[in-house]
Amino acid sequence: GGASAVGQPVRRKNKKAEVFVGSGKASTLHSRPGASASLSREIAGPTSKRAKAALNSFCEKFVAQCYGPVMKSLKNEFRRDSNRLEDGDRTLFFRIVWFFHQWFRVSRRNALEKKKKGAEEESSAQNLIFTMDVFMFNLVLNSTDEFFEHKKPAELAQTVSLYTEMIHML
């Protein structure tokens, strides 16, 4: 970051949450149907195109090779209510799952627009199923109640965004 008026470095309120893609209000902005597709058409510079291609390539590889095992491991931590979990880990987990579900939905829509579809999409969908089981729906719904009851609007917004993406996948 930059420096404040007195020369001290500017500190983020919550370093852990802000470094991750989708931090802040981006979840609600990009959750609207068509929002990501319209934004991607508006920003069409060469650097932006390369960055999007790199992110898309990473997402394709991660979902195909790592998503299932990583999510299975993380879900087991939540299932056991592990003492290794810290405050905010559930919201961060929801943000990661939300991101990959949304990426899959948008990339699938873009592929349909370009009329190319195939085994790679099927493989990605099978891996995303690791975060579409009864345990995951219960975790999301119980978290929604908890975040509402304890007046945690940012966590509630992220949880609702994930629930919306999960419903889109059905």
Side-chain angles (χ1 to χ4, degrees), residues 12-112:
R12 291 186 291 248
K13 288 181 187 173
N14 184 347
K15 188 188 288 186
K16 186 176 185 181
E18 291 203 23
V19 257
F20 189 73
V21 173
S23 177
K25 296 179 183 174
S27 337
T28 54
L29 172 68
H30 298 297
S31 293
R32 294 188 331 260
S36 296
S38 63
L39 284 174
S40 65
R41 286 186 208 101
E42 291 172 14
I43 305 169
T47 304
S48 178
K49 286 180 181 177
R50 282 194 308 273
K52 287 177 188 173
L55 179 60
N56 191 53
S57 175
F58 166 79
C59 290
E60 286 174 358
K61 290 174 184 168
F62 182 82
V63 169
Q65 300 169 8
C66 306
Y67 187 86
V70 168
M71 292 302 139
K72 184 177 179 183
S73 175
L74 290 172
K75 275 181 19 185
N76 283 335
E77 295 295 319
F78 287 104
R79 188 174 278 123
R80 292 186 314 224
D81 198 21
S82 172
N83 62 0
R84 295 190 291 181
L85 294 172
E86 298 178 8
D87 289 345
D89 283 352
R90 185 172 23 155
T91 306
L92 189 57
F93 173 65
F94 287 169
R95 187 170 290 152
I96 294 167
V97 174
W98 164 82
F99 175 82
F100 283 102
H101 277 255
Q102 185 183 54
W103 166 81
F104 178 75
R105 181 175 53 84
V106 171
S107 64
R108 183 176 57 190
R109 183 178 55 227
N110 290 343
L112 288 173

